[in-house]
Amino acid sequence: MQDIRNIVVLTGAGISAESGIATFRGPGGLWEGHRVEDVCTPEALADDPALVHAFYDARRAALARVTPNPAHLALARLDEEWGGGLLIVTQNVDDLHERAGARRLLHMHGALQSALCAACGVRRRWPGALPPGSICPDCGAAALRPDIVFFGEMPYAMDRIEHALGSADLFVSIGTSGAVYPAAGFVQRARQAGARTLELNLERSAGSAWFDETRLGPAGTLVPAWVETLLAP
Ligand code: NAD
């Protein structure tokens, strides 16, 4: 591993599956019983704010019933012990990476425990229920919404992610289907920068052909084994 210094890890819903959080496209292509278009688009929020707010309220409340699994814990260990560059980019909106102890972490699609003011743009920690019309403490507008990046909206921190991908020696994708862009394109960007690319997933993702290596299996087994090897003296 002497040639590896800078690592970028991308995680998706699959890393939290063994903690008991449903993936995006579960049975029947639904997310917790809903069509993705009905809960994850700006149009859905405009058409039926009560439904969309209630959906994320339920997801937020469910966080109290789950805990990080060995894959989250292994990435936190990597963060603690890896002396080189590291950026963990998660598409997940749960808080299991940070509860496991990861710090070099970025939520590119927002976070359940955060509220975004549609009027002034301020984001703030919001651990409780968020009914439509909640007042923004910063600007006073009744415009708080779940701080979730919907389809068609710009993910967070793309400059930082681009910078990290451009200097990555190793790119590792964990538990993501490779169906949601721009995240699905990170592997190609990392390859352009000369990084080795590794996929850890239950099944081959849509972009599997872009990876130098694919290991198939549950994240709770594959990720600790990969981290162990990487950190071995
Ligand atoms: P996805 O549901 O499209 O794909 C999940 C992938 O994980 C699949 O390829 C599946 O084979 C794999 N997988 C399932 N169980 C696994 C396991 N135990 N170990 C390893 N891999 C496993 O998820 P995605 O690609 O992250 O889709 C993106 C969107 O889903 C994101 O925008 C995210 O915000 C949203 N989402 C987040 C959460 C969460 O925060 N936990 C949950 C559902 C959806």
Side-chain angles (χ1 to χ4, degrees), residues 135-162:
I135 305 293
C136 172
D138 286 271
C139 73
L144 288 183
R145 54 164 270 187
D147 188 10
I148 304 292
V149 177
F150 293 143
F151 284 102
E153 297 181 332
M154 180 62 85
Y156 290 120
M158 287 304 293
D159 287 356
R160 240 183 102 193
I161 296 170
E162 166 63 24

Side-chain angles (χ1 to χ4, degrees), residues 170-231:
L170 176 63
F171 173 78
V172 185
S173 171
I174 303 169
T176 174
S177 61
V180 179
Y181 279 82
F186 290 172
V187 59
Q188 293 172 59
R189 179 68 190 93
R191 281 176 76 96
Q192 283 167 5
R196 273 189 53 74
T197 54
L198 169 65
E199 169 176 52
L200 308 177
N201 209 27
L202 206 52
E203 58 194 10
R204 286 188 177 276
S205 66
S208 198
W210 294 104
F211 289 87
D212 296 314
E213 188 187 349
T214 295
R215 297 181 197 166
L216 298 181
T221 305
L222 293 183
V223 179
W226 167 65
V227 168
E228 184 69 41
T229 309
L230 195 69
L231 293 176

